[in-house]
Amino acid sequence: MFTTQNSGKLVTVRPLKHSDYNNWLDSFLQRRPSQHQYDEGAIDMNECTPEWFDALVLRQQSLAAQDDTYVFGIFRQSDGKHLGAIDFTTLLREEFQWARVGYTIHNQYWQKGYGKEAMQLALTIGQKELGYHRIEAHINLDNLASQKLAESIGMEYEGVRKGFIFENGEWVDHVIYAAVK
């Protein structure tokens, strides 16, 4: 099981544990209605029982053991509150050591610096502990908040990949930001 943890002034980034269930669920239940098209807003959590969550944690551990996907919870330092998640997907190892990073912060915790610090910690985890040489963020063209976040943590704008990701029934362009070790 992958157990790395990095802590900053505001947040800790680490894999979910079975004991995180109540904290995790509470943050999802407190989400506000959707603020824009890239925010899911409030989500129906009725199927998310403790057993469902245990299976989620085991699935995330299995994906990490396979070097496929690493999922990290973001927790507030001051009280341990679950703030969101960061994930790495291994795109290619061998001579590339290449991954994609994604993140989400529950909308009730926006504009407090949590996303920026969590992504800074995540890049450290990705490069130093997971061994990625190249980490990319694939961001929708009109998701300016995510683009600004990528820039603020030192990721470099590389351009637009045309028809890059299949979303909502169509191939869409994405802006690419990269951090290279």
Side-chain angles (χ1 to χ4, degrees):
M1 179 177 78
F2 187 76
T3 59
T4 194
Q5 171 177 309
N6 278 0
S7 296
K9 293 178 182 176
L10 299 175
V11 303
T12 295
V13 175
R14 63 166 174 78
L16 290 176
K17 299 184 283 191
H18 297 286
S19 60
D20 290 324
Y21 173 71
N22 289 327
N23 185 3
W24 176 89
L25 181 63
D26 186 54
S27 286
F28 273 97
L29 293 174
Q30 291 181 25
R31 289 176 66 123
R32 298 178 180 145
S34 177
Q35 306 297 304
H36 56 72
Q37 73 185 62
Y38 300 113
D39 173 24
E40 287 184 90
I43 300 170
D44 180 5
M45 301 298 287
N46 285 328
E47 72 177 39
C48 301
T49 63
E51 296 77 23
W52 180 94
F53 184 78
D54 285 344
L56 173 71
V57 171
L58 291 174
R59 189 168 48 254
Q60 290 177 356
Q61 290 172 352
S62 175
L63 289 168
Q66 297 168 40
D67 192 38
D68 182 74
T69 303
Y70 298 88
V71 181
F72 298 92
I74 304 167
F75 298 88
R76 188 165 47 204
Q77 274 285 43
S78 63
D79 60 3
K81 194 74 172 156
H82 180 263
L83 305 173
I86 290 178
D87 64 277
F88 288 100
T89 301
T90 301
L91 299 176
L92 192 60
R93 283 293 189 176
E94 300 168 356
E95 64 271 11
F96 293 94
Q97 300 303 319
W98 178 29
R100 181 214 49 89
V101 66
Y103 79 97
T104 184
I105 300 289
H106 298 302
N107 61 15
Q108 69 269 32
Y109 302 119
W110 288 356
Q111 303 297 316
K112 296 178 180 9
Y114 299 134
K116 181 176 180 176
E117 185 174 276
M119 282 293 288
Q120 289 168 325
L121 294 170
L123 288 181
T124 298
I125 291 170
Q127 292 174 333
K128 293 185 177 177
E129 299 181 40
L130 299 177
Y132 296 122
H133 171 73
R134 177 182 183 79
I135 299 172
E136 292 183 351
H138 307 155
I139 305 171
N140 290 85
L141 298 179
D142 57 351
N143 190 342
L144 300 179
S146 282
Q147 291 177 39
K148 286 180 182 178
L149 175 66
E151 290 170 3
S152 77
I153 62 168
M155 296 186 85
E156 292 186 32
Y157 171 83
E158 291 196 331
V160 174
R161 289 196 184 136
K162 301 287 186 180
F164 186 57
I165 297 178
F166 195 73
E167 291 179 346
N168 302 316
E170 65 180 322
W171 289 99
V172 298
D173 302 344
H174 270 215
V175 176
I176 305 303
Y177 284 85
V180 179
K181 181 168 47 169

